[in-house]
PDB file of all heavy atoms in Angstrom:
ATOM      1  N   GLY A1579    -243.094-202.903 -64.256  1.00 82.00           N
ATOM      2  CA  GLY A1579    -243.003-203.836 -65.370  1.00 82.00           C
ATOM      3  C   GLY A1579    -244.333-204.231 -65.966  1.00 82.00           C
ATOM      4  O   GLY A1579    -244.397-205.100 -66.836  1.00 82.00           O
ATOM      5  N   HIS A1580    -245.427-203.590 -65.533  1.00 86.00           N
ATOM      6  CA  HIS A1580    -246.728-203.894 -66.114  1.00 86.00           C
ATOM      7  C   HIS A1580    -246.845-203.242 -67.493  1.00 86.00           C
ATOM      8  O   HIS A1580    -246.626-202.032 -67.618  1.00 86.00           O
ATOM      9  CB  HIS A1580    -247.870-203.353 -65.238  1.00 86.00           C
ATOM     10  CG  HIS A1580    -247.858-203.875 -63.836  1.00 86.00           C
ATOM     11  ND1 HIS A1580    -248.013-203.044 -62.745  1.00 86.00           N
ATOM     12  CD2 HIS A1580    -247.718-205.119 -63.349  1.00 86.00           C
ATOM     13  CE1 HIS A1580    -247.976-203.770 -61.633  1.00 86.00           C
ATOM     14  NE2 HIS A1580    -247.788-205.037 -61.975  1.00 86.00           N
ATOM     15  N   PRO A1581    -247.205-203.982 -68.538  1.00 85.00           N
ATOM     16  CA  PRO A1581    -247.480-203.353 -69.830  1.00 85.00           C
ATOM     17  C   PRO A1581    -248.617-202.344 -69.707  1.00 85.00           C
ATOM     18  O   PRO A1581    -249.579-202.571 -68.965  1.00 85.00           O
ATOM     19  CB  PRO A1581    -247.886-204.529 -70.723  1.00 85.00           C
ATOM     20  CG  PRO A1581    -247.284-205.731 -70.066  1.00 85.00           C
ATOM     21  CD  PRO A1581    -247.336-205.458 -68.591  1.00 85.00           C
ATOM     22  N   ILE A1582    -248.501-201.232 -70.413  1.00 88.00           N
ATOM     23  CA  ILE A1582    -249.535-200.197 -70.395  1.00 88.00           C
ATOM     24  C   ILE A1582    -250.292-200.236 -71.710  1.00 88.00           C
ATOM     25  O   ILE A1582    -249.703-200.080 -72.781  1.00 88.00           O
ATOM     26  CB  ILE A1582    -248.928-198.795 -70.192  1.00 88.00           C
ATOM     27  CG1 ILE A1582    -248.189-198.716 -68.854  1.00 88.00           C
ATOM     28  CG2 ILE A1582    -250.024-197.727 -70.249  1.00 88.00           C
ATOM     29  CD1 ILE A1582    -247.404-197.425 -68.672  1.00 88.00           C
ATOM     30  N   LEU A1583    -251.594-200.451 -71.629  1.00 90.00           N
ATOM     31  CA  LEU A1583    -252.461-200.416 -72.799  1.00 90.00           C
ATOM     32  C   LEU A1583    -253.068-199.027 -72.913  1.00 90.00           C
ATOM     33  O   LEU A1583    -253.550-198.470 -71.925  1.00 90.00           O
ATOM     34  CB  LEU A1583    -253.571-201.454 -72.664  1.00 90.00           C
ATOM     35  CG  LEU A1583    -253.128-202.917 -72.689  1.00 90.00           C
ATOM     36  CD1 LEU A1583    -254.243-203.810 -72.172  1.00 90.00           C
ATOM     37  CD2 LEU A1583    -252.738-203.323 -74.090  1.00 90.00           C
ATOM     38  N   TYR A1584    -253.039-198.474 -74.120  1.00 91.00           N
ATOM     39  CA  TYR A1584    -253.609-197.140 -74.321  1.00 91.00           C
ATOM     40  C   TYR A1584    -254.597-197.191 -75.473  1.00 91.00           C
ATOM     41  O   TYR A1584    -254.330-197.774 -76.536  1.00 91.00           O
ATOM     42  CB  TYR A1584    -252.514-196.121 -74.653  1.00 91.00           C
ATOM     43  CG  TYR A1584    -253.069-194.769 -75.057  1.00 91.00           C
ATOM     44  CD1 TYR A1584    -253.560-193.891 -74.099  1.00 91.00           C
ATOM     45  CD2 TYR A1584    -253.146-194.391 -76.394  1.00 91.00           C
ATOM     46  CE1 TYR A1584    -254.106-192.670 -74.459  1.00 91.00           C
ATOM     47  CE2 TYR A1584    -253.678-193.168 -76.768  1.00 91.00           C
ATOM     48  CZ  TYR A1584    -254.156-192.300 -75.798  1.00 91.00           C
ATOM     49  OH  TYR A1584    -254.703-191.099 -76.157  1.00 91.00           O
ATOM     50  N   GLY A1585    -255.754-196.586 -75.271  1.00 90.00           N
ATOM     51  CA  GLY A1585    -256.740-196.465 -76.335  1.00 90.00           C
ATOM     52  C   GLY A1585    -257.371-195.091 -76.303  1.00 90.00           C
ATOM     53  O   GLY A1585    -257.455-194.453 -75.252  1.00 90.00           O
ATOM     54  N   CYS A1586    -257.836-194.632 -77.472  1.00 90.00           N
ATOM     55  CA  CYS A1586    -258.468-193.318 -77.564  1.00 90.00           C
ATOM     56  C   CYS A1586    -259.794-193.438 -78.303  1.00 90.00           C
ATOM     57  O   CYS A1586    -259.857-193.925 -79.432  1.00 90.00           O
ATOM     58  CB  CYS A1586    -257.562-192.333 -78.286  1.00 90.00           C
ATOM     59  SG  CYS A1586    -258.300-190.681 -78.445  1.00 90.00           S
ATOM     60  N   ALA A1587    -260.869-192.985 -77.653  1.00 87.00           N
ATOM     61  CA  ALA A1587    -262.207-193.099 -78.228  1.00 87.00           C
ATOM     62  C   ALA A1587    -262.340-192.325 -79.532  1.00 87.00           C
ATOM     63  O   ALA A1587    -263.005-192.774 -80.465  1.00 87.00           O
ATOM     64  CB  ALA A1587    -263.239-192.605 -77.213  1.00 87.00           C
ATOM     65  N   GLY A1588    -261.693-191.164 -79.616  1.00 86.00           N
ATOM     66  CA  GLY A1588    -261.827-190.337 -80.805  1.00 86.00           C
ATOM     67  C   GLY A1588    -261.231-190.953 -82.058  1.00 86.00           C
ATOM     68  O   GLY A1588    -261.531-190.511 -83.172  1.00 86.00           O
ATOM     69  N   ASN A1589    -260.396-191.979 -81.885  1.00 86.00           N
ATOM     70  CA  ASN A1589    -259.777-192.639 -83.035  1.00 86.00           C
ATOM     71  C   ASN A1589    -260.483-193.934 -83.411  1.00 86.00           C
ATOM     72  O   ASN A1589    -259.976-194.708 -84.216  1.00 86.00           O
ATOM     73  CB  ASN A1589    -258.300-192.934 -82.737  1.00 86.00           C
ATOM     74  CG  ASN A1589    -257.478-191.657 -82.638  1.00 86.00           C
ATOM     75  OD1 ASN A1589    -257.835-190.636 -83.217  1.00 86.00           O
ATOM     76  ND2 ASN A1589    -256.399-191.711 -81.888  1.00 86.00           N
ATOM     77  N   GLN A1590    -261.639-194.164 -82.835  1.00 84.00           N
ATOM     78  CA  GLN A1590    -262.410-195.360 -83.169  1.00 84.00           C
ATOM     79  C   GLN A1590    -263.119-195.133 -84.491  1.00 84.00           C
ATOM     80  O   GLN A1590    -263.948-194.237 -84.620  1.00 84.00           O
ATOM     81  CB  GLN A1590    -263.427-195.635 -82.062  1.00 84.00           C
ATOM     82  CG  GLN A1590    -264.304-196.840 -82.284  1.00 84.00           C
ATOM     83  CD  GLN A1590    -265.271-197.049 -81.143  1.00 84.00           C
ATOM     84  OE1 GLN A1590    -264.906-196.924 -79.979  1.00 84.00           O
ATOM     85  NE2 GLN A1590    -266.527-197.334 -81.463  1.00 84.00           N
ATOM     86  N   THR A1591    -262.801-195.945 -85.500  1.00 80.00           N
ATOM     87  CA  THR A1591    -263.353-195.722 -86.841  1.00 80.00           C
ATOM     88  C   THR A1591    -264.410-196.744 -87.238  1.00 80.00           C
ATOM     89  O   THR A1591    -264.938-196.679 -88.345  1.00 80.00           O
ATOM     90  CB  THR A1591    -262.224-195.753 -87.886  1.00 80.00           C
ATOM     91  OG1 THR A1591    -261.606-197.049 -87.885  1.00 80.00           O
ATOM     92  CG2 THR A1591    -261.175-194.692 -87.589  1.00 80.00           C
ATOM     93  N   ARG A1592    -264.685-197.705 -86.358  1.00 80.00           N
ATOM     94  CA  ARG A1592    -265.706-198.709 -86.643  1.00 80.00           C
ATOM     95  C   ARG A1592    -266.587-198.902 -85.403  1.00 80.00           C
ATOM     96  O   ARG A1592    -266.169-198.563 -84.299  1.00 80.00           O
ATOM     97  CB  ARG A1592    -265.059-200.049 -87.023  1.00 80.00           C
ATOM     98  CG  ARG A1592    -264.387-200.035 -88.392  1.00 80.00           C
ATOM     99  CD  ARG A1592    -263.658-201.346 -88.662  1.00 80.00           C
ATOM    100  NE  ARG A1592    -263.051-201.363 -89.970  1.00 80.00           N
ATOM    101  CZ  ARG A1592    -263.608-201.858 -91.059  1.00 80.00           C
ATOM    102  NH1 ARG A1592    -264.799-202.406 -90.976  1.00 80.00           N
ATOM    103  NH2 ARG A1592    -262.986-201.831 -92.221  1.00 80.00           N
ATOM    104  N   PRO A1593    -267.782-199.459 -85.593  1.00 79.00           N
ATOM    105  CA  PRO A1593    -268.642-199.721 -84.435  1.00 79.00           C
ATOM    106  C   PRO A1593    -267.965-200.650 -83.433  1.00 79.00           C
ATOM    107  O   PRO A1593    -267.138-201.483 -83.800  1.00 79.00           O
ATOM    108  CB  PRO A1593    -269.884-200.384 -85.059  1.00 79.00           C
ATOM    109  CG  PRO A1593    -269.870-199.956 -86.492  1.00 79.00           C
ATOM    110  CD  PRO A1593    -268.428-199.818 -86.865  1.00 79.00           C
ATOM    111  N   MET A1594    -268.364-200.544 -82.186  1.00 77.00           N
ATOM    112  CA  MET A1594    -267.720-201.279 -81.115  1.00 77.00           C
ATOM    113  C   MET A1594    -267.695-202.781 -81.373  1.00 77.00           C
ATOM    114  O   MET A1594    -266.693-203.460 -81.139  1.00 77.00           O
ATOM    115  CB  MET A1594    -268.442-200.980 -79.792  1.00 77.00           C
ATOM    116  CG  MET A1594    -267.868-201.710 -78.593  1.00 77.00           C
ATOM    117  SD  MET A1594    -266.181-201.166 -78.224  1.00 77.00           S
ATOM    118  CE  MET A1594    -265.713-202.403 -77.021  1.00 77.00           C
ATOM    119  N   HIS A1595    -268.800-203.346 -81.853  1.00 77.00           N
ATOM    120  CA  HIS A1595    -268.862-204.795 -82.017  1.00 77.00           C
ATOM    121  C   HIS A1595    -267.872-205.296 -83.070  1.00 77.00           C
ATOM    122  O   HIS A1595    -267.520-206.470 -83.090  1.00 77.00           O
ATOM    123  CB  HIS A1595    -270.286-205.244 -82.361  1.00 77.00           C
ATOM    124  CG  HIS A1595    -270.764-204.822 -83.726  1.00 77.00           C
ATOM    125  ND1 HIS A1595    -271.359-203.593 -83.942  1.00 77.00           N
ATOM    126  CD2 HIS A1595    -270.712-205.442 -84.933  1.00 77.00           C
ATOM    127  CE1 HIS A1595    -271.693-203.491 -85.217  1.00 77.00           C
ATOM    128  NE2 HIS A1595    -271.301-204.594 -85.836  1.00 77.00           N
ATOM    129  N   GLU A1596    -267.402-204.408 -83.951  1.00 80.00           N
ATOM    130  CA  GLU A1596    -266.414-204.795 -84.958  1.00 80.00           C
ATOM    131  C   GLU A1596    -264.984-204.669 -84.434  1.00 80.00           C
ATOM    132  O   GLU A1596    -264.047-205.102 -85.094  1.00 80.00           O
ATOM    133  CB  GLU A1596    -266.569-203.942 -86.218  1.00 80.00           C
ATOM    134  CG  GLU A1596    -267.886-204.165 -86.951  1.00 80.00           C
ATOM    135  CD  GLU A1596    -267.957-203.373 -88.236  1.00 80.00           C
ATOM    136  OE1 GLU A1596    -266.877-202.983 -88.757  1.00 80.00           O
ATOM    137  OE2 GLU A1596    -269.077-203.131 -88.731  1.00 80.00           O
ATOM    138  N   LEU A1597    -264.823-204.083 -83.255  1.00 83.00           N
ATOM    139  CA  LEU A1597    -263.487-203.840 -82.712  1.00 83.00           C
ATOM    140  C   LEU A1597    -263.104-204.812 -81.600  1.00 83.00           C
ATOM    141  O   LEU A1597    -261.961-204.800 -81.147  1.00 83.00           O
ATOM    142  CB  LEU A1597    -263.396-202.409 -82.172  1.00 83.00           C
ATOM    143  CG  LEU A1597    -263.689-201.299 -83.177  1.00 83.00           C
ATOM    144  CD1 LEU A1597    -263.634-199.937 -82.486  1.00 83.00           C
ATOM    145  CD2 LEU A1597    -262.697-201.328 -84.333  1.00 83.00           C
ATOM    146  N   CYS A1598    -264.040-205.644 -81.179  1.00 85.00           N
ATOM    147  CA  CYS A1598    -263.760-206.536 -80.050  1.00 85.00           C
ATOM    148  C   CYS A1598    -262.553-207.423 -80.305  1.00 85.00           C
ATOM    149  O   CYS A1598    -261.728-207.634 -79.415  1.00 85.00           O
ATOM    150  CB  CYS A1598    -264.986-207.383 -79.735  1.00 85.00           C
ATOM    151  SG  CYS A1598    -266.342-206.435 -79.012  1.00 85.00           S
ATOM    152  N   ASP A1599    -262.438-207.965 -81.523  1.00 84.00           N
ATOM    153  CA  ASP A1599    -261.300-208.829 -81.828  1.00 84.00           C
ATOM    154  C   ASP A1599    -259.984-208.074 -81.707  1.00 84.00           C
ATOM    155  O   ASP A1599    -258.988-208.615 -81.232  1.00 84.00           O
ATOM    156  CB  ASP A1599    -261.424-209.412 -83.242  1.00 84.00           C
ATOM    157  CG  ASP A1599    -262.413-210.568 -83.303  1.00 84.00           C
ATOM    158  OD1 ASP A1599    -262.883-211.007 -82.241  1.00 84.00           O
ATOM    159  OD2 ASP A1599    -262.719-211.022 -84.423  1.00 84.00           O
ATOM    160  N   HIS A1600    -259.977-206.810 -82.147  1.00 83.00           N
ATOM    161  CA  HIS A1600    -258.766-205.993 -82.038  1.00 83.00           C
ATOM    162  C   HIS A1600    -258.388-205.803 -80.571  1.00 83.00           C
ATOM    163  O   HIS A1600    -257.233-205.980 -80.187  1.00 83.00           O
ATOM    164  CB  HIS A1600    -259.004-204.637 -82.705  1.00 83.00           C
ATOM    165  CG  HIS A1600    -257.858-203.687 -82.563  1.00 83.00           C
ATOM    166  ND1 HIS A1600    -256.889-203.547 -83.530  1.00 83.00           N
ATOM    167  CD2 HIS A1600    -257.509-202.841 -81.566  1.00 83.00           C
ATOM    168  CE1 HIS A1600    -255.993-202.650 -83.123  1.00 83.00           C
ATOM    169  NE2 HIS A1600    -256.360-202.202 -81.943  1.00 83.00           N
ATOM    170  N   PHE A1601    -259.370-205.460 -79.737  1.00 87.00           N
ATOM    171  CA  PHE A1601    -259.094-205.242 -78.321  1.00 87.00           C
ATOM    172  C   PHE A1601    -258.571-206.521 -77.655  1.00 87.00           C
ATOM    173  O   PHE A1601    -257.596-206.490 -76.894  1.00 87.00           O
ATOM    174  CB  PHE A1601    -260.361-204.768 -77.594  1.00 87.00           C
ATOM    175  CG  PHE A1601    -260.818-203.386 -77.969  1.00 87.00           C
ATOM    176  CD1 PHE A1601    -262.161-203.056 -77.968  1.00 87.00           C
ATOM    177  CD2 PHE A1601    -259.899-202.421 -78.345  1.00 87.00           C
ATOM    178  CE1 PHE A1601    -262.579-201.780 -78.320  1.00 87.00           C
ATOM    179  CE2 PHE A1601    -260.311-201.140 -78.700  1.00 87.00           C
ATOM    180  CZ  PHE A1601    -261.648-200.823 -78.682  1.00 87.00           C
ATOM    181  N   ILE A1602    -259.231-207.644 -77.941  1.00 88.00           N
ATOM    182  CA  ILE A1602    -258.808-208.914 -77.355  1.00 88.00           C
ATOM    183  C   ILE A1602    -257.399-209.266 -77.806  1.00 88.00           C
ATOM    184  O   ILE A1602    -256.567-209.727 -77.008  1.00 88.00           O
ATOM    185  CB  ILE A1602    -259.789-210.035 -77.748  1.00 88.00           C
ATOM    186  CG1 ILE A1602    -261.156-209.813 -77.100  1.00 88.00           C
ATOM    187  CG2 ILE A1602    -259.226-211.404 -77.375  1.00 88.00           C
ATOM    188  CD1 ILE A1602    -261.209-210.088 -75.621  1.00 88.00           C
ATOM    189  N   MET A1603    -257.091-209.053 -79.076  1.00 84.00           N
ATOM    190  CA  MET A1603    -255.774-209.386 -79.611  1.00 84.00           C
ATOM    191  C   MET A1603    -254.671-208.586 -78.919  1.00 84.00           C
ATOM    192  O   MET A1603    -253.643-209.132 -78.518  1.00 84.00           O
ATOM    193  CB  MET A1603    -255.746-209.117 -81.112  1.00 84.00           C
ATOM    194  CG  MET A1603    -254.411-209.415 -81.785  1.00 84.00           C
ATOM    195  SD  MET A1603    -254.446-208.989 -83.535  1.00 84.00           S
ATOM    196  CE  MET A1603    -254.584-207.195 -83.452  1.00 84.00           C
TER     197      MET A1603
END
Side-chain angles (χ1 to χ4, degrees):
H1580 302 133
I1582 299 172
L1583 293 164
Y1584 172 77
C1586 180
N1589 292 335
Q1590 179 179 317
T1591 62
R1592 289 175 178 266
M1594 179 65 190
H1595 69 273
E1596 295 184 21
L1597 302 177
C1598 290
D1599 282 352
H1600 176 95
F1601 291 148
I1602 293 287
M1603 179 183 67

